[in-house]
Amino acid sequence: MPHDQRETPYLDAAMRYRAVGYTPFHTPGHKLGKGAPSRLRDFIGDQALGVDNAMAGGVEDTRESTGLIRLAEDYAAEAWGSDRTWFLVNGSSSGVQALLLALGAPGETVIVPRNAHKSMLAGLIFTGARPLYMEPAIDPVWGIPLQVGAEDARAALREAPDARALFVTSPTYNGLGADLRAIADLAHDAGVPFVTDQAWGPHLRFCPDLPTDAMTAGADAAVVSTHKLISGLTQSAVLMARGERINLARLDGMVHMTQSTSPQVLMYASIDAARQQMAVHGTELWRGAIELAERARRQISAIPGLRCLGSELLGRDGVAEFDPTRLTVSACDVGLSGYQLETVLRDDYRIAVEAADPLNVVLNVTFGDRREDLEMLVGSLQDLAARYGEGAGRGGSAACAGLLAHTPPFTRQVLSPRDAVFAAAAAKPLAECAGEISAEMVTPYPPGIPALGPGEEISPEIVAYLTEAGAAGLKVHGPEDRTLATLRVVVS
Ligand SMILES: Cc1ncc(COP(=O)(O)O)c(C=O)c1O
């Protein structure tokens, strides 16, 4: 008998726990808020503090004997169409890492997209596996990565027929989806498990007007960030897998190695509630969001000097589908970079965007938005374009083009990421690094796609790109010297 998706077993248990009013002799030290500093109470409220405990400290018992978590995860497995799910409290990052730990081993090859999130490289470092990269093209106008195509997957599988898994990141930050069905078939024909990092697609399964979700396409595993586009609290995520090509017991062990041993009741309850909301109301909620986003896209595109990405990239370089709820907006033609647009929207209009890159800002539209929110956004963009419009066409685009956010072509993986991270290394001035092997990861954030990974040969193009990125004030994660004056390189 399938579960009744209107139910929320974990959320209900958390509410019962609060209603009973147990005397807590468990973590955390604020004891359900009684000892909390008043400023914290003012900030998050007694309600939240009153259920802030680790799951074994009340809602479930310390032996997990009620099976409550597994029950809530089973509801989620049915909703997302997998054999098994795990609730994650360390984001999709931890799901990607658990999958790599379960599927790869030191020295083995895992096929991964070059536009993968940095959690994938971290997973490779933990595992010791070697990446074989598939490189999606960068769109020359928008400066964003496109997708991995079936041809890329076919070539990689030919090059590494013994690969332990093939990963694809879909949809991208900008809502571009790969042809997951075709890639799943290719991987399966080669006997290789197919995994999708679907961090930006927790909603896809629940509305037919959105791109195909990984499980429907035949993926063996996927990870979704329930906090990104649905109602999970920040950091919550779900890992899902099928048992045909993946050893679920081994994956279970790896999941537990990547999670805190004190998962938060609030986070678990939010995943349970988000799953219920999607399973019961997902289609209508997302249809409403799609309508709002499409209307806003049309209106923004009509503003002189602004552009809003639509479905025009469909069919280009591996892009098979598009999530219309993601708005990628460029004001380059009125002379504003993506970073400047983010700042102006925040400071002058009190609008907070999801992310900015050198050329664009990205805005998420969900069922949480109201018509007036989108009208306010469009009105603000009209005002902004009129204010800055005088410079339109007078070098604005050229200035932005200089910042084009393309990741330089991948060079050569000389050492595995793990060997490079643990090798003897020394800092060297960036300008002198061409030809060396990087000992660290350099990731402009957002979008969090590594420009340089440990173990890669540093090309003159990467030196030039990082020099430009440093000068443009790009925020980078990973290197010890975040000013990018120096890089750590392997010393032989
Ligand atoms: C494609 C992709 N995968 C994984 C992650 C990590 O997700 P989380 O922040 O839930 O750990 C992100 C975060 O932005 C992402 O964009």
Side-chain angles (χ1 to χ4, degrees), residues 90-94 96 115-119 169-173 197-200 223-228 235-237 354 445 447:
N90 296 346
S92 283
S93 301
S94 61
V96 167
N115 65 333
H117 184 255
K118 65 178 196 154
S119 53
T169 301
S170 182
T172 62
Y173 231 90
D197 175 349
Q198 197 177 269
W200 286 104
V223 59
V224 299
S225 287
T226 42
H227 70 92
K228 287 203 196 298
Q235 260 181 256
S236 69
E354 168 62 35
Y445 217 96

PDB file of all heavy atoms in Angstrom, residues 90-94 96 115-119 169-173 197-200 223-228 235-237 354 445 447, ligand 1:
ATOM      1  N   ASN A  90      23.294  18.345   5.811  1.00  0.00           N
ATOM      2  CA  ASN A  90      24.484  19.084   5.348  1.00  0.00           C
ATOM      3  C   ASN A  90      24.367  19.428   3.871  1.00  0.00           C
ATOM      4  O   ASN A  90      25.364  19.476   3.152  1.00  0.00           O
ATOM      5  CB  ASN A  90      25.759  18.270   5.592  1.00  0.00           C
ATOM      6  CG  ASN A  90      26.025  18.044   7.068  1.00  0.00           C
ATOM      7  OD1 ASN A  90      25.424  18.694   7.923  1.00  0.00           O
ATOM      8  ND2 ASN A  90      26.916  17.134   7.383  1.00  0.00           N
ATOM      9  N   GLY A  91      23.153  19.662   3.419  1.00  0.00           N
ATOM     10  CA  GLY A  91      22.925  20.113   2.052  1.00  0.00           C
ATOM     11  C   GLY A  91      23.153  19.028   1.009  1.00  0.00           C
ATOM     12  O   GLY A  91      23.564  17.899   1.320  1.00  0.00           O
ATOM     13  N   SER A  92      22.882  19.406  -0.248  1.00  0.00           N
ATOM     14  CA  SER A  92      23.168  18.492  -1.357  1.00  0.00           C
ATOM     15  C   SER A  92      24.645  18.167  -1.401  1.00  0.00           C
ATOM     16  O   SER A  92      25.046  17.103  -1.871  1.00  0.00           O
ATOM     17  CB  SER A  92      22.775  19.128  -2.695  1.00  0.00           C
ATOM     18  OG  SER A  92      21.397  19.077  -2.876  1.00  0.00           O
ATOM     19  N   SER A  93      25.474  19.099  -0.918  1.00  0.00           N
ATOM     20  CA  SER A  93      26.918  18.865  -0.898  1.00  0.00           C
ATOM     21  C   SER A  93      27.221  17.509  -0.270  1.00  0.00           C
ATOM     22  O   SER A  93      28.006  16.714  -0.801  1.00  0.00           O
ATOM     23  CB  SER A  93      27.623  19.948  -0.074  1.00  0.00           C
ATOM     24  OG  SER A  93      27.378  21.209  -0.607  1.00  0.00           O
ATOM     25  N   SER A  94      26.592  17.219   0.853  1.00  0.00           N
ATOM     26  CA  SER A  94      26.903  15.973   1.566  1.00  0.00           C
ATOM     27  C   SER A  94      26.363  14.761   0.812  1.00  0.00           C
ATOM     28  O   SER A  94      26.933  13.667   0.891  1.00  0.00           O
ATOM     29  CB  SER A  94      26.353  16.010   2.990  1.00  0.00           C
ATOM     30  OG  SER A  94      24.956  16.141   2.976  1.00  0.00           O
ATOM     31  N   VAL A  96      26.189  14.509  -2.540  1.00  0.00           N
ATOM     32  CA  VAL A  96      27.133  14.276  -3.634  1.00  0.00           C
ATOM     33  C   VAL A  96      28.361  13.541  -3.087  1.00  0.00           C
ATOM     34  O   VAL A  96      28.866  12.593  -3.683  1.00  0.00           O
ATOM     35  CB  VAL A  96      27.540  15.631  -4.268  1.00  0.00           C
ATOM     36  CG1 VAL A  96      28.737  15.481  -5.194  1.00  0.00           C
ATOM     37  CG2 VAL A  96      26.361  16.254  -5.015  1.00  0.00           C
ATOM     38  N   ASN A 115      31.275  21.535 -15.133  1.00  0.00           N
ATOM     39  CA  ASN A 115      30.515  22.585 -14.442  1.00  0.00           C
ATOM     40  C   ASN A 115      29.916  22.083 -13.125  1.00  0.00           C
ATOM     41  O   ASN A 115      28.971  22.657 -12.608  1.00  0.00           O
ATOM     42  CB  ASN A 115      29.391  23.140 -15.346  1.00  0.00           C
ATOM     43  CG  ASN A 115      28.339  22.096 -15.672  1.00  0.00           C
ATOM     44  OD1 ASN A 115      28.620  20.907 -15.687  1.00  0.00           O
ATOM     45  ND2 ASN A 115      27.119  22.538 -15.927  1.00  0.00           N
ATOM     46  N   ALA A 116      30.505  21.007 -12.588  1.00  0.00           N
ATOM     47  CA  ALA A 116      29.990  20.486 -11.314  1.00  0.00           C
ATOM     48  C   ALA A 116      30.239  21.478 -10.190  1.00  0.00           C
ATOM     49  O   ALA A 116      31.192  22.261 -10.223  1.00  0.00           O
ATOM     50  CB  ALA A 116      30.687  19.168 -10.986  1.00  0.00           C
ATOM     51  N   HIS A 117      29.389  21.422  -9.204  1.00  0.00           N
ATOM     52  CA  HIS A 117      29.571  22.223  -7.983  1.00  0.00           C
ATOM     53  C   HIS A 117      30.829  21.751  -7.256  1.00  0.00           C
ATOM     54  O   HIS A 117      31.241  20.596  -7.377  1.00  0.00           O
ATOM     55  CB  HIS A 117      28.337  22.015  -7.102  1.00  0.00           C
ATOM     56  CG  HIS A 117      28.325  22.832  -5.861  1.00  0.00           C
ATOM     57  ND1 HIS A 117      28.590  22.297  -4.633  1.00  0.00           N
ATOM     58  CD2 HIS A 117      28.080  24.145  -5.656  1.00  0.00           C
ATOM     59  CE1 HIS A 117      28.499  23.241  -3.716  1.00  0.00           C
ATOM     60  NE2 HIS A 117      28.194  24.376  -4.309  1.00  0.00           N
ATOM     61  N   LYS A 118      31.402  22.623  -6.447  1.00  0.00           N
ATOM     62  CA  LYS A 118      32.678  22.273  -5.816  1.00  0.00           C
ATOM     63  C   LYS A 118      32.548  21.096  -4.845  1.00  0.00           C
ATOM     64  O   LYS A 118      33.543  20.440  -4.530  1.00  0.00           O
ATOM     65  CB  LYS A 118      33.268  23.484  -5.104  1.00  0.00           C
ATOM     66  CG  LYS A 118      32.445  23.975  -3.939  1.00  0.00           C
ATOM     67  CD  LYS A 118      33.157  25.127  -3.295  1.00  0.00           C
ATOM     68  CE  LYS A 118      32.559  25.367  -1.932  1.00  0.00           C
ATOM     69  NZ  LYS A 118      33.448  25.984  -0.993  1.00  0.00           N
ATOM     70  N   SER A 119      31.339  20.778  -4.415  1.00  0.00           N
ATOM     71  CA  SER A 119      31.170  19.620  -3.529  1.00  0.00           C
ATOM     72  C   SER A 119      31.596  18.332  -4.239  1.00  0.00           C
ATOM     73  O   SER A 119      31.996  17.355  -3.600  1.00  0.00           O
ATOM     74  CB  SER A 119      29.726  19.503  -3.044  1.00  0.00           C
ATOM     75  OG  SER A 119      28.834  19.506  -4.133  1.00  0.00           O
ATOM     76  N   THR A 169      25.223  17.412 -13.848  1.00  0.00           N
ATOM     77  CA  THR A 169      24.600  18.446 -13.023  1.00  0.00           C
ATOM     78  C   THR A 169      23.454  19.047 -13.819  1.00  0.00           C
ATOM     79  O   THR A 169      23.690  19.693 -14.848  1.00  0.00           O
ATOM     80  CB  THR A 169      25.629  19.549 -12.682  1.00  0.00           C
ATOM     81  OG1 THR A 169      26.718  18.946 -11.978  1.00  0.00           O
ATOM     82  CG2 THR A 169      25.002  20.636 -11.828  1.00  0.00           C
ATOM     83  N   SER A 170      22.231  18.818 -13.376  1.00  0.00           N
ATOM     84  CA  SER A 170      21.083  19.286 -14.158  1.00  0.00           C
ATOM     85  C   SER A 170      19.856  19.423 -13.265  1.00  0.00           C
ATOM     86  O   SER A 170      19.557  18.503 -12.507  1.00  0.00           O
ATOM     87  CB  SER A 170      20.791  18.277 -15.280  1.00  0.00           C
ATOM     88  OG  SER A 170      19.732  18.705 -16.087  1.00  0.00           O
ATOM     89  N   PRO A 171      19.143  20.585 -13.319  1.00  0.00           N
ATOM     90  CA  PRO A 171      19.424  21.762 -14.113  1.00  0.00           C
ATOM     91  C   PRO A 171      20.622  22.533 -13.553  1.00  0.00           C
ATOM     92  O   PRO A 171      21.019  22.311 -12.408  1.00  0.00           O
ATOM     93  CB  PRO A 171      18.145  22.610 -13.969  1.00  0.00           C
ATOM     94  CG  PRO A 171      17.170  21.820 -13.192  1.00  0.00           C
ATOM     95  CD  PRO A 171      17.895  20.715 -12.545  1.00  0.00           C
ATOM     96  N   THR A 172      21.149  23.453 -14.381  1.00  0.00           N
ATOM     97  CA  THR A 172      22.217  24.316 -13.907  1.00  0.00           C
ATOM     98  C   THR A 172      21.616  25.454 -13.077  1.00  0.00           C
ATOM     99  O   THR A 172      20.393  25.600 -12.976  1.00  0.00           O
ATOM    100  CB  THR A 172      22.955  24.948 -15.086  1.00  0.00           C
ATOM    101  OG1 THR A 172      22.016  25.751 -15.822  1.00  0.00           O
ATOM    102  CG2 THR A 172      23.546  23.888 -16.004  1.00  0.00           C
ATOM    103  N   TYR A 173      22.500  26.261 -12.537  1.00  0.00           N
ATOM    104  CA  TYR A 173      22.083  27.462 -11.804  1.00  0.00           C
ATOM    105  C   TYR A 173      21.067  28.286 -12.596  1.00  0.00           C
ATOM    106  O   TYR A 173      20.162  28.891 -12.039  1.00  0.00           O
ATOM    107  CB  TYR A 173      23.329  28.339 -11.587  1.00  0.00           C
ATOM    108  CG  TYR A 173      23.532  28.777 -10.183  1.00  0.00           C
ATOM    109  CD1 TYR A 173      24.286  28.001  -9.312  1.00  0.00           C
ATOM    110  CD2 TYR A 173      22.988  29.966  -9.703  1.00  0.00           C
ATOM    111  CE1 TYR A 173      24.489  28.387  -8.013  1.00  0.00           C
ATOM    112  CE2 TYR A 173      23.190  30.364  -8.399  1.00  0.00           C
ATOM    113  CZ  TYR A 173      23.943  29.569  -7.557  1.00  0.00           C
ATOM    114  OH  TYR A 173      24.126  29.950  -6.268  1.00  0.00           O
ATOM    115  N   ASP A 197      23.247  15.367 -10.152  1.00  0.00           N
ATOM    116  CA  ASP A 197      23.214  16.406  -9.124  1.00  0.00           C
ATOM    117  C   ASP A 197      22.073  17.335  -9.519  1.00  0.00           C
ATOM    118  O   ASP A 197      22.214  18.183 -10.391  1.00  0.00           O
ATOM    119  CB  ASP A 197      24.549  17.147  -9.080  1.00  0.00           C
ATOM    120  CG  ASP A 197      24.505  18.317  -8.098  1.00  0.00           C
ATOM    121  OD1 ASP A 197      23.400  18.661  -7.628  1.00  0.00           O
ATOM    122  OD2 ASP A 197      25.568  18.890  -7.814  1.00  0.00           O
ATOM    123  N   GLN A 198      20.940  17.129  -8.873  1.00  0.00           N
ATOM    124  CA  GLN A 198      19.731  17.883  -9.192  1.00  0.00           C
ATOM    125  C   GLN A 198      19.428  18.842  -8.037  1.00  0.00           C
ATOM    126  O   GLN A 198      18.273  19.016  -7.632  1.00  0.00           O
ATOM    127  CB  GLN A 198      18.577  16.890  -9.416  1.00  0.00           C
ATOM    128  CG  GLN A 198      17.382  17.470 -10.139  1.00  0.00           C
ATOM    129  CD  GLN A 198      16.303  16.420 -10.389  1.00  0.00           C
ATOM    130  OE1 GLN A 198      16.275  15.753 -11.407  1.00  0.00           O
ATOM    131  NE2 GLN A 198      15.405  16.258  -9.444  1.00  0.00           N
ATOM    132  N   ALA A 199      20.504  19.428  -7.497  1.00  0.00           N
ATOM    133  CA  ALA A 199      20.332  20.347  -6.367  1.00  0.00           C
ATOM    134  C   ALA A 199      19.299  21.423  -6.697  1.00  0.00           C
ATOM    135  O   ALA A 199      18.498  21.813  -5.833  1.00  0.00           O
ATOM    136  CB  ALA A 199      21.678  20.984  -6.012  1.00  0.00           C
ATOM    137  N   TRP A 200      19.309  21.883  -7.962  1.00  0.00           N
ATOM    138  CA  TRP A 200      18.363  22.937  -8.369  1.00  0.00           C
ATOM    139  C   TRP A 200      17.073  22.368  -8.939  1.00  0.00           C
ATOM    140  O   TRP A 200      16.358  23.073  -9.666  1.00  0.00           O
ATOM    141  CB  TRP A 200      19.048  23.882  -9.367  1.00  0.00           C
ATOM    142  CG  TRP A 200      20.031  24.768  -8.669  1.00  0.00           C
ATOM    143  CD1 TRP A 200      21.395  24.651  -8.672  1.00  0.00           C
ATOM    144  CD2 TRP A 200      19.725  25.878  -7.813  1.00  0.00           C
ATOM    145  NE1 TRP A 200      21.944  25.628  -7.877  1.00  0.00           N
ATOM    146  CE2 TRP A 200      20.958  26.391  -7.345  1.00  0.00           C
ATOM    147  CE3 TRP A 200      18.538  26.483  -7.394  1.00  0.00           C
ATOM    148  CZ2 TRP A 200      21.030  27.481  -6.471  1.00  0.00           C
ATOM    149  CZ3 TRP A 200      18.606  27.560  -6.536  1.00  0.00           C
ATOM    150  CH2 TRP A 200      19.835  28.046  -6.090  1.00  0.00           C
ATOM    151  N   VAL A 223      20.461  13.869  -6.104  1.00  0.00           N
ATOM    152  CA  VAL A 223      20.391  14.628  -4.873  1.00  0.00           C
ATOM    153  C   VAL A 223      19.671  15.935  -5.177  1.00  0.00           C
ATOM    154  O   VAL A 223      19.872  16.525  -6.243  1.00  0.00           O
ATOM    155  CB  VAL A 223      21.805  14.819  -4.269  1.00  0.00           C
ATOM    156  CG1 VAL A 223      22.739  15.521  -5.205  1.00  0.00           C
ATOM    157  CG2 VAL A 223      21.773  15.495  -2.939  1.00  0.00           C
ATOM    158  N   VAL A 224      18.756  16.325  -4.281  1.00  0.00           N
ATOM    159  CA  VAL A 224      18.020  17.587  -4.481  1.00  0.00           C
ATOM    160  C   VAL A 224      18.134  18.426  -3.209  1.00  0.00           C
ATOM    161  O   VAL A 224      18.083  17.891  -2.102  1.00  0.00           O
ATOM    162  CB  VAL A 224      16.518  17.354  -4.806  1.00  0.00           C
ATOM    163  CG1 VAL A 224      16.342  16.559  -6.093  1.00  0.00           C
ATOM    164  CG2 VAL A 224      15.754  16.709  -3.669  1.00  0.00           C
ATOM    165  N   SER A 225      18.289  19.736  -3.394  1.00  0.00           N
ATOM    166  CA  SER A 225      18.319  20.629  -2.232  1.00  0.00           C
ATOM    167  C   SER A 225      16.888  21.068  -1.937  1.00  0.00           C
ATOM    168  O   SER A 225      16.330  21.884  -2.670  1.00  0.00           O
ATOM    169  CB  SER A 225      19.170  21.871  -2.517  1.00  0.00           C
ATOM    170  OG  SER A 225      20.536  21.574  -2.546  1.00  0.00           O
ATOM    171  N   THR A 226      16.318  20.519  -0.870  1.00  0.00           N
ATOM    172  CA  THR A 226      14.946  20.924  -0.535  1.00  0.00           C
ATOM    173  C   THR A 226      14.909  22.369  -0.058  1.00  0.00           C
ATOM    174  O   THR A 226      13.858  22.989  -0.017  1.00  0.00           O
ATOM    175  CB  THR A 226      14.369  19.998   0.555  1.00  0.00           C
ATOM    176  OG1 THR A 226      15.382  19.768   1.544  1.00  0.00           O
ATOM    177  CG2 THR A 226      13.934  18.677  -0.020  1.00  0.00           C
ATOM    178  N   HIS A 227      16.072  22.901   0.312  1.00  0.00           N
ATOM    179  CA  HIS A 227      16.079  24.296   0.776  1.00  0.00           C
ATOM    180  C   HIS A 227      16.199  25.284  -0.378  1.00  0.00           C
ATOM    181  O   HIS A 227      15.981  26.475  -0.181  1.00  0.00           O
ATOM    182  CB  HIS A 227      17.236  24.526   1.760  1.00  0.00           C
ATOM    183  CG  HIS A 227      18.601  24.483   1.134  1.00  0.00           C
ATOM    184  ND1 HIS A 227      19.220  25.619   0.666  1.00  0.00           N
ATOM    185  CD2 HIS A 227      19.459  23.461   0.893  1.00  0.00           C
ATOM    186  CE1 HIS A 227      20.424  25.287   0.185  1.00  0.00           C
ATOM    187  NE2 HIS A 227      20.585  23.984   0.305  1.00  0.00           N
ATOM    188  N   LYS A 228      16.546  24.809  -1.577  1.00  0.00           N
ATOM    189  CA  LYS A 228      16.806  25.782  -2.629  1.00  0.00           C
ATOM    190  C   LYS A 228      15.511  26.334  -3.229  1.00  0.00           C
ATOM    191  O   LYS A 228      15.356  27.539  -3.333  1.00  0.00           O
ATOM    192  CB  LYS A 228      17.676  25.182  -3.725  1.00  0.00           C
ATOM    193  CG  LYS A 228      19.150  24.989  -3.307  1.00  0.00           C
ATOM    194  CD  LYS A 228      20.040  24.934  -4.519  1.00  0.00           C
ATOM    195  CE  LYS A 228      21.414  24.364  -4.235  1.00  0.00           C
ATOM    196  NZ  LYS A 228      22.206  25.136  -3.270  1.00  0.00           N
ATOM    197  N   GLN A 235      19.894  24.352   4.305  1.00  0.00           N
ATOM    198  CA  GLN A 235      20.793  23.218   4.510  1.00  0.00           C
ATOM    199  C   GLN A 235      20.112  21.865   4.326  1.00  0.00           C
ATOM    200  O   GLN A 235      20.786  20.853   4.257  1.00  0.00           O
ATOM    201  CB  GLN A 235      21.448  23.230   5.897  1.00  0.00           C
ATOM    202  CG  GLN A 235      22.861  23.769   5.879  1.00  0.00           C
ATOM    203  CD  GLN A 235      23.506  23.761   7.235  1.00  0.00           C
ATOM    204  OE1 GLN A 235      23.619  24.809   7.844  1.00  0.00           O
ATOM    205  NE2 GLN A 235      23.919  22.623   7.711  1.00  0.00           N
ATOM    206  N   SER A 236      18.789  21.831   4.280  1.00  0.00           N
ATOM    207  CA  SER A 236      18.134  20.526   4.152  1.00  0.00           C
ATOM    208  C   SER A 236      18.189  20.048   2.701  1.00  0.00           C
ATOM    209  O   SER A 236      18.127  20.848   1.763  1.00  0.00           O
ATOM    210  CB  SER A 236      16.673  20.605   4.621  1.00  0.00           C
ATOM    211  OG  SER A 236      15.905  21.381   3.724  1.00  0.00           O
ATOM    212  N   ALA A 237      18.296  18.749   2.523  1.00  0.00           N
ATOM    213  CA  ALA A 237      18.358  18.163   1.187  1.00  0.00           C
ATOM    214  C   ALA A 237      17.927  16.704   1.260  1.00  0.00           C
ATOM    215  O   ALA A 237      17.766  16.153   2.360  1.00  0.00           O
ATOM    216  CB  ALA A 237      19.784  18.259   0.629  1.00  0.00           C
ATOM    217  N   GLU A 354      19.305  35.857  -6.000  1.00  0.00           N
ATOM    218  CA  GLU A 354      19.900  34.573  -5.603  1.00  0.00           C
ATOM    219  C   GLU A 354      21.411  34.608  -5.787  1.00  0.00           C
ATOM    220  O   GLU A 354      22.158  34.167  -4.922  1.00  0.00           O
ATOM    221  CB  GLU A 354      19.287  33.448  -6.461  1.00  0.00           C
ATOM    222  CG  GLU A 354      19.999  32.100  -6.365  1.00  0.00           C
ATOM    223  CD  GLU A 354      19.981  31.516  -4.963  1.00  0.00           C
ATOM    224  OE1 GLU A 354      18.982  31.710  -4.248  1.00  0.00           O
ATOM    225  OE2 GLU A 354      20.987  30.864  -4.593  1.00  0.00           O
ATOM    226  N   TYR A 445      32.817  32.105  -6.620  1.00  0.00           N
ATOM    227  CA  TYR A 445      31.512  31.802  -6.003  1.00  0.00           C
ATOM    228  C   TYR A 445      30.628  33.033  -5.987  1.00  0.00           C
ATOM    229  O   TYR A 445      31.067  34.057  -5.492  1.00  0.00           O
ATOM    230  CB  TYR A 445      31.736  31.334  -4.569  1.00  0.00           C
ATOM    231  CG  TYR A 445      30.783  30.254  -4.180  1.00  0.00           C
ATOM    232  CD1 TYR A 445      31.135  28.922  -4.257  1.00  0.00           C
ATOM    233  CD2 TYR A 445      29.499  30.579  -3.767  1.00  0.00           C
ATOM    234  CE1 TYR A 445      30.241  27.928  -3.928  1.00  0.00           C
ATOM    235  CE2 TYR A 445      28.601  29.592  -3.437  1.00  0.00           C
ATOM    236  CZ  TYR A 445      28.979  28.269  -3.516  1.00  0.00           C
ATOM    237  OH  TYR A 445      28.097  27.281  -3.202  1.00  0.00           O
ATOM    238  N   PRO A 447      29.203  30.887  -9.390  1.00  0.00           N
ATOM    239  CA  PRO A 447      28.275  29.790  -9.187  1.00  0.00           C
ATOM    240  C   PRO A 447      28.897  28.588  -8.480  1.00  0.00           C
ATOM    241  O   PRO A 447      28.235  27.568  -8.378  1.00  0.00           O
ATOM    242  CB  PRO A 447      27.874  29.424 -10.615  1.00  0.00           C
ATOM    243  CG  PRO A 447      29.093  29.721 -11.419  1.00  0.00           C
ATOM    244  CD  PRO A 447      29.782  30.863 -10.748  1.00  0.00           C
TER     245      PRO A 447
HETATM  246  C1  LIG B   1      24.679  22.173  -8.709  1.00  0.00           C
HETATM  247  C2  LIG B   1      24.850  22.245  -7.232  1.00  0.00           C
HETATM  248  N1  LIG B   1      25.090  21.116  -6.550  1.00  0.00           N
HETATM  249  C3  LIG B   1      25.234  21.111  -5.202  1.00  0.00           C
HETATM  250  C4  LIG B   1      25.138  22.278  -4.496  1.00  0.00           C
HETATM  251  C5  LIG B   1      25.292  22.231  -3.014  1.00  0.00           C
HETATM  252  O1  LIG B   1      24.042  22.346  -2.422  1.00  0.00           O
HETATM  253  P1  LIG B   1      23.881  22.647  -0.867  1.00  0.00           P
HETATM  254  O2  LIG B   1      24.073  24.124  -0.723  1.00  0.00           O
HETATM  255  O3  LIG B   1      22.486  22.188  -0.588  1.00  0.00           O
HETATM  256  O4  LIG B   1      24.910  21.880  -0.138  1.00  0.00           O
HETATM  257  C6  LIG B   1      24.889  23.495  -5.161  1.00  0.00           C
HETATM  258  C7  LIG B   1      24.800  24.751  -4.408  1.00  0.00           C
HETATM  259  O5  LIG B   1      24.614  25.810  -4.927  1.00  0.00           O
HETATM  260  C8  LIG B   1      24.756  23.478  -6.577  1.00  0.00           C
HETATM  261  O6  LIG B   1      24.535  24.601  -7.265  1.00  0.00           O
END
